[in-house]
Amino acid sequence: MKPKMVQKNAKGLVDPISRHPGFDRTETIVGIWGHPLHAMSVAFPVALTFCAFGADMLYFWSGELFWARAAIWAAGTAFLFGLAAGATGTAELLLVSGIRIRAAAWTHFVIAVMLLSILGANWGYRLTTGYEQAVLPYGILLSGFATVMVIFTGWHGGKLVFDHHLGTSKGN
């Protein structure tokens, strides 16, 4: 006889991991005064990824060398700030049992690691090719793909915070 994976109660379906010890322990432990460092630090790589794509588009449109230089700086700082945000997010994932047990947290983690690899490839390509030569065609494609990946990563991260209340403080 097969064991039941999802059981029904009077209200509907019950998530089988909700009975796991530590399931309700979702408050941040990598934070300052209850404010999660990961949530505070992701704004920088997100904004800089959009800036790199915007600078690439403006270089494509205007041909101004300034925008190619701005794009390499934005791509590099997006990658470096992304590493810092990734370190705090990885620490939360591995140290907090209520976060670690959820599949959605691992999905966000995998997408974020893919995003970091794209950001690193974008910056590395620009460093080795030269900032002006790197924009067309591959630099703008990498920036555009990174922007799409930021949207997916941010959406999954937002779902974790707003739907599952992961990394948030329960209050006093």
Side-chain angles (χ1 to χ4, degrees):
M1 179 173 199
K2 285 173 70 175
K4 291 184 180 180
M5 296 303 287
V6 177
Q7 298 176 2
K8 283 192 172 185
N9 67 5
K11 295 180 183 179
L13 298 177
V14 176
D15 188 358
I17 66 164
S18 65
R19 291 186 299 266
H20 188 275
F23 177 79
D24 293 327
R25 205 178 127 231
T26 59
E27 284 191 58
T28 185
I29 60 171
V30 183
I32 300 171
W33 297 301
H35 298 284
L37 285 177
H38 179 66
M40 291 189 289
S41 62
V42 294
F44 297 104
V46 168
L48 288 163
T49 301
F50 278 94
C51 287
F53 183 58
D56 281 343
M57 293 299 288
L58 287 167
Y59 175 77
F60 176 70
W61 180 62
S62 70
E64 285 290 324
L65 190 59
F66 167 80
W67 295 116
R69 280 197 315 263
I72 192 172
W73 279 96
T77 51
F79 175 67
L80 295 175
F81 277 109
L83 288 175
T88 58
T90 301
E92 287 280 13
L93 178 70
L94 298 177
L95 296 174
V96 181
S97 61
I99 296 174
R100 187 175 55 243
I101 194 163
R102 288 175 165 84
W106 288 97
T107 302
H108 174 67
F109 174 78
V110 169
I111 296 170
V113 169
M114 289 181 357
L115 171 61
L116 274 176
S117 66
I118 294 165
L119 290 173
N122 191 10
W123 187 39
Y125 176 70
R126 290 168 193 272
L127 286 175
T128 58
T129 307
Y131 57 88
E132 188 176 9
Q133 295 80 18
V135 175
L136 296 173
Y138 299 114
I140 201 166
L141 290 173
L142 284 168
S143 292
F145 189 52
T147 302
V148 170
M149 291 299 293
V150 159
I151 292 168
F152 283 123
T153 307
W155 183 78
H156 277 280
K159 294 277 290 175
L160 291 172
V161 172
F162 298 116
D163 291 353
H164 298 286
H165 306 289
L166 300 186
T168 59
S169 177
K170 298 203 187 318
N172 295 332

